[in-house]
Amino acid sequence: MLIKSPSAGLASVVVFFSAALWGIYWIPLRFLEEQGITGTAAVAVLNMPAILPLLLLVAFQFRAHRGYLNRMLLIGIFTGLAIALYSSGVIYSSVVRATLLFYLTPVWATLIEIFWFKEKAGWSRWMAAVAGLVGMALLLSGEGSAAFNLGDVFAFFSGVCWALGAAMIKRYDTVPLPGMLLSQFFFTVTGALALGLIASSSYGVSSDVVSEISFAQIMPVLPVTSLIAIGIILPAVLAIFWAQKFLLPGRVGLLMMSEVIVAVASASLLLPEEQMSLIEWSGAALIISACVLEVLAVPDGGDKTSENKISEYSESESQKAELLSVQQAGR
């Protein structure tokens, strides 16, 4: 059972370690590529198994979800597209570049806090964001960097979509988690297929979305993808979505930089073409320092001013949803 009112510290720890799991997300994608399922089709095959159990759960709890369908879809569109764009970036660019471009998220999240939540970002958040960006600059400054490509574009916009999705989770925090997750996985799968078609038709990038992926190819990997999707990816996304209900998007974006360290370290160790230099490792250390600075500078309850502002809006939204549910039930 999920804790309804966790401390800021607990929610931060959950985000930090759940995001770290995403640092090895590229490994099953490479596994599927070795099995002949390449391009964005691999993203769809990897995420699809999580849809069925979530669909059954939402159907079983449909009455609880009925008043939130519009917001559920809106959150799913942005978070689902974020993961689809990031995954496509990993496929068409490189693990390190895609991960780093995604983690421009704190910049977008901080802007969202200022212009949407009407929040004044403190010096600690700006320092942490700057430290993270400087760290990313160091990581991108390695020798032999490839030219900016379509995968980089996908990865860049994945951060924008995730920041918007995170802000919506925070603002519409009464939306049930199963519905958000179902919507997110659905739009991850459909978004990945659409991105593959765009890459193939408009940019001439090879993608198995427009070639023949047979049932015979999918069945042998289905047990593995089901285990990964339901046993690892789904719990990690669930934990992050849950924690984002209690933390501001800027802080979430900074804490999720734990993924950068895991992704960079694992890719550097396992992929010869992504070996890192000393200056790039220095950048990785600076990024993790930004996360630590953010957590230490904002103690438990440090987000309370913003929480109060947003909770007033959330309570109003919750009352509207409950009224809508009553009206629909009376029809």
Side-chain angles (χ1 to χ4, degrees):
M1 185 170 144
L2 295 175
I3 302 172
K4 292 185 178 180
S5 298
S7 66
L10 175 60
S12 298
V13 168
V14 168
V15 171
F16 186 86
F17 285 103
S18 297
L21 283 175
W22 279 91
I24 56 173
Y25 180 76
W26 64 270
I27 294 178
L29 292 177
R30 293 299 176 95
F31 165 76
L32 289 174
E33 183 179 357
E34 292 174 357
Q35 307 306 309
I37 303 175
T38 59
T40 57
V43 181
V45 171
L46 180 60
N47 287 275
M48 198 178 300
I51 293 178
L52 179 58
L54 288 169
L55 184 61
L56 294 174
L57 182 58
V58 171
F60 182 74
Q61 300 178 344
F62 183 72
R63 181 172 295 180
H65 288 78
R66 185 166 50 185
Y68 301 96
L69 295 180
N70 290 339
R71 296 183 189 93
M72 186 177 82
L73 289 173
L74 195 61
I75 291 171
I77 288 172
F78 283 99
T79 57
L81 281 178
I83 295 177
L85 285 162
Y86 167 72
S87 305
S88 302
V90 169
I91 290 169
Y92 295 130
S93 181
S94 71
V95 175
V96 172
R97 287 169 70 101
T99 303
L100 296 175
L101 288 167
F102 173 85
Y103 278 98
L104 290 172
T105 298
V107 177
W108 318 130
T110 299
L111 292 175
I112 288 170
E113 289 176 20
I114 293 172
F115 293 106
W116 190 7
F117 291 162
K118 307 302 180 184
E119 168 70 11
K120 292 183 179 180
W123 66 269
S124 62
R125 175 147 296 150
W126 286 113
M127 279 189 62
V130 169
L133 290 173
V134 171
M136 289 180 200
L138 291 175
L139 278 164
L140 287 172
S141 65
E143 296 180 1
S145 296
F148 200 75
N149 54 52
L150 180 62
D152 295 332
V153 173
F154 286 161
F156 176 85
F157 282 106
S158 70
V160 178
C161 287
W162 184 264
L164 289 168
M168 290 175 188
I169 292 172
K170 177 63 182 172
R171 191 149 203 175
Y172 307 134
D173 61 353
T174 56
V175 179
L177 281 169
M180 281 197 292
L181 289 165
L182 174 60
S183 185
Q184 178 263 304
F185 276 96
F186 174 79
F187 284 106
T188 295
V189 171
T190 55
L193 295 175
L195 290 170
L197 288 173
I198 292 171
S200 179
S201 61
S202 300
Y203 297 93
V205 177
S206 176
S207 174
D208 270 344
V209 170
V210 292
S211 63
E212 294 184 0
I213 296 296
S214 66
F215 192 68
Q217 283 180 291
I218 296 175
M219 286 307 296
V221 301
L222 189 59
V224 176
T225 56
S226 297
L227 178 62
I228 295 172
I230 299 173
I232 299 176
I233 298 176
L234 177 56
V237 177
L238 170 62
I240 292 172
F241 276 18
W242 168 79
Q244 284 184 147
K245 287 175 175 279
F246 310 103
L247 298 173
L248 287 168
R251 181 168 187 168
V252 171
L254 289 164
L255 290 166
M256 285 182 63
M257 285 185 180
S258 60
E259 180 189 351
V260 174
I261 304 305
V262 176
V264 169
S266 60
S268 181
L269 289 171
L270 301 176
L271 300 175
E273 67 273 19
E274 298 202 22
Q275 293 294 321
M276 289 173 53
S277 65
L278 179 60
I279 191 170
E280 290 172 317
W281 279 113
S282 300
L286 193 56
I287 289 171
I288 202 70
S289 298
C291 299
V292 174
L293 173 64
E294 168 67 9
V295 174
L296 294 179
V298 183
D300 289 2
D303 287 340
K304 289 301 180 182
T305 301
S306 300
E307 295 286 347
N308 292 336
K309 293 178 184 177
I310 299 168
S311 64
E312 291 176 3
Y313 182 91
S314 297
E315 287 173 6
S316 172
E317 292 294 316
S318 179
Q319 290 171 359
K320 291 179 183 177
E322 290 175 3
L323 179 59
L324 179 60
S325 295
V326 171
Q327 290 173 343
Q328 290 177 339
R331 290 177 183 173

